Amino acid sequence: MSTHVRHPIWLPALRPADACTFASLYAVESFARATISSVIPIQAYEILHNEQIVSILYTIVSLLGLSVTLFMPMLIRRFARRWVYTAGCLMLAVGSVFFVTHTLWGQLIGMLCRVMGASALSITLNLYIMDHIRKTDFMQAESLRMAWSMFAWTGGPTLGIFLYTRFGIYAAHGAVVVFALALLVLFWTYRLGDNPSIRPGKSRPANPLANIGRFVGQPRLRLAWLIAFGRSCFWTTFFVYGPLFMVITGEGKLAGGLLVSAGNALLFMAIFWGKAGKRFGGRRTMTFAYFGMAAMLFAAGGVGEAAPLLTAVFLLCGAFFTIALEALGSTAFMRSVRSHERAQMAAVYRTYLDFSELTPPLVYSVVLTFFGLGSVFVTLGILAAFCGFFTWRYLPKSF
């Protein structure tokens, strides 16, 4: 009996990772990011006192964030994924420490830390999902993940603004630190392991430019990127130009805030779209969603300033269709990427987010030179129709 070793009971009792595991991680992460999503631009304006300089600041951060994303596979290759995920959690917390300095350099570094942390968390979480969830269950898992995040993206921005205006800068950013540390504890509680099969062999290129070349050379990955880019462009437009439209048409800031909150609340419909994808197939469902989004955007652009509230309704209907792409779109990448190069391709794939934050404002600045604000929604509708056509034409029927 003296040589008998009693192992802790809770270790073998911990259930394997499943869809709820990743949904809970993503929900807590979403709270850590959503809480100050509305505070950061306000704080930047308070420091710079100029909208154009604020836009330049965001552009600089987006470009630097794109570079960080492309180099992320080198970190994953050098360190275990769990340490990269851990670093992502800590970067969110460290970013808030810089934000509370309320200086230009503190704002810049804080935004960079936030982008780096989000990139690390997004890429590593996608790798864990591809390791632990079967390909046939991707749609259900992703729809559940989006649905759980609804609580964060609906209540998080309001919570952040409330803390910032009522209790000050330390309260708002302190909440982020709490959520980031809670995410770190939850992650280590699940004890997710690294799958050696996703590690690239020594012959595989680690150079970001080589990774881009390999990504572009695979048609299905290009299509997966386009699907993600199109839906992300909608959210960029919805979050920026939706509230701006409400203010310009005289409906007020509150109407703009309610529009964004209502759009975020629709994330719960991801469960519905997940079931639709399983019933009718991902290809049909995503194509239908893209053309539905395009129709709503054309209607919103057509009505425009003549009936602002009706335009808002059309935008919300467009968000409803976009939720389908949130729930199902990433499965096009997860089911197409090769197991031995998941880390490299996941990093390139995530650049859709950076490009969707850079491209629409540049295009809209040209369009608005000749047309009214409603033209923004028509332009986005054209992109949605384009993405819908390519989804129907080139996405395999097996999806």
Side-chain angles (χ1 to χ4, degrees):
M1 293 297 293
S2 62
T3 59
H4 178 68
V5 178
R6 295 191 60 187
H7 298 282
I9 297 177
W10 64 272
L11 284 175
L14 189 66
R15 68 179 186 181
D18 56 12
C20 290
T21 302
F22 302 110
S24 61
L25 285 172
Y26 189 67
V28 179
E29 176 198 336
S30 296
F31 267 111
R33 294 191 292 115
T35 302
I36 56 171
S37 61
S38 298
V39 173
I40 292 175
I42 294 176
Q43 190 173 332
Y45 183 77
E46 290 177 349
I47 295 172
L48 297 171
H49 304 288
N50 186 290
E51 299 91 335
Q52 186 176 10
I53 299 178
V54 170
S55 298
I56 294 174
L57 176 64
Y58 269 90
T59 301
I60 293 173
V61 172
S62 296
L63 290 173
L64 293 175
L66 176 61
S67 302
V68 171
T69 299
L70 292 175
F71 279 94
M72 195 60 64
M74 298 180 68
L75 294 178
I76 296 175
R77 184 187 179 94
R78 176 66 179 82
F79 304 100
R81 264 185 285 155
R82 60 180 177 272
W83 295 117
V84 177
Y85 191 96
T86 298
C89 297
L90 295 177
M91 290 302 288
L92 294 182
V94 171
S96 289
V97 175
F98 282 101
F99 278 128
V100 297
T101 63
H102 206 65
T103 62
L104 177 58
W105 280 107
Q107 187 77 11
L108 176 61
I109 297 175
M111 292 173 69
L112 284 175
C113 288
R114 176 179 164 85
V115 169
M116 292 168 62
S119 177
L121 293 173
S122 174
I123 293 173
T124 51
L125 185 64
N126 279 334
L127 293 176
Y128 280 124
I129 290 173
M130 287 186 280
D131 280 353
H132 293 86
I133 303 296
R134 294 182 301 178
K135 287 187 176 182
T136 54
D137 296 332
F138 279 155
M139 289 186 185
Q140 291 175 294
E142 287 298 285
S143 61
L144 183 65
R145 187 160 69 105
M146 291 301 109
W148 282 33
S149 71
M150 176 269 297
F151 298 101
W153 291 106
T154 301
T158 303
L159 173 63
I161 290 294
F162 173 77
L163 293 174
Y164 186 70
T165 56
R166 186 69 179 271
F167 299 102
I169 191 172
Y170 287 96
H173 292 288
V176 175
V177 174
V178 172
F179 284 125
L181 295 180
L183 175 63
L184 185 60
V185 171
L186 184 63
F187 170 74
W188 280 97
T189 299
Y190 287 143
R191 300 196 321 277
L192 298 175
D194 290 5
N195 186 344
S197 66
I198 70 103
R199 290 181 176 273
K202 293 183 178 180
S203 61
R204 297 291 176 184
N207 187 293
L209 295 179
N211 293 336
I212 294 174
R214 291 186 60 80
F215 189 98
V216 173
Q218 300 179 56
R220 288 192 180 182
L221 294 186
R222 294 200 305 265
L223 179 59
W225 190 95
L226 179 65
I227 293 173
F229 174 74
R231 77 163 189 261
S232 191
C233 283
F234 176 89
W235 291 122
T236 298
T237 305
F238 183 79
F239 290 143
V240 175
Y241 292 91
L244 181 62
F245 182 83
M246 291 291 101
V247 172
I248 290 176
T249 55
E251 298 299 327
K253 297 179 180 179
L254 179 59
L258 291 175
L259 176 63
V260 172
S261 295
N264 286 330
L266 288 174
L267 282 170
F268 188 76
M269 295 303 297
I271 295 179
F272 163 78
W273 285 115
K275 293 180 179 179
K278 186 176 182 180
R279 172 67 176 83
F280 301 104
R283 174 173 170 265
R284 290 182 178 179
T285 305
M286 285 189 280
T287 301
F288 173 74
Y290 256 127
F291 283 122
M293 183 206 305
M296 294 301 103
L297 288 168
F298 288 144
V303 174
E305 301 177 17
L309 294 182
L310 181 58
T311 300
V313 171
F314 283 130
L315 290 177
L316 285 176
C317 291
F320 169 74
F321 287 110
T322 309
I323 300 300
L325 300 164
E326 286 286 344
L328 308 176
S330 59
T331 60
F333 168 76
M334 293 181 176
R335 296 178 63 176
S336 300
V337 66
R338 297 165 182 166
S339 59
H340 64 267
E341 56 183 9
R342 286 177 178 174
Q344 303 98 309
M345 298 303 101
V348 180
Y349 172 72
R350 194 188 178 275
T351 59
Y352 77 82
L353 188 59
D354 302 289
F355 279 100
S356 67
E357 293 176 352
L358 287 169
T359 308
L362 294 176
V363 175
Y364 298 155
S365 64
V366 176
V367 173
L368 290 172
T369 304
F370 304 97
F371 305 100
L373 189 56
S375 63
V376 166
F377 307 129
V378 175
T379 303
L380 182 61
I382 295 174
L383 173 64
F386 176 83
C387 293
F389 169 77
F390 271 78
T391 300
W392 176 258
R393 179 66 178 83
Y394 295 107
L395 193 66
K397 294 182 179 180
S398 59
F399 275 80

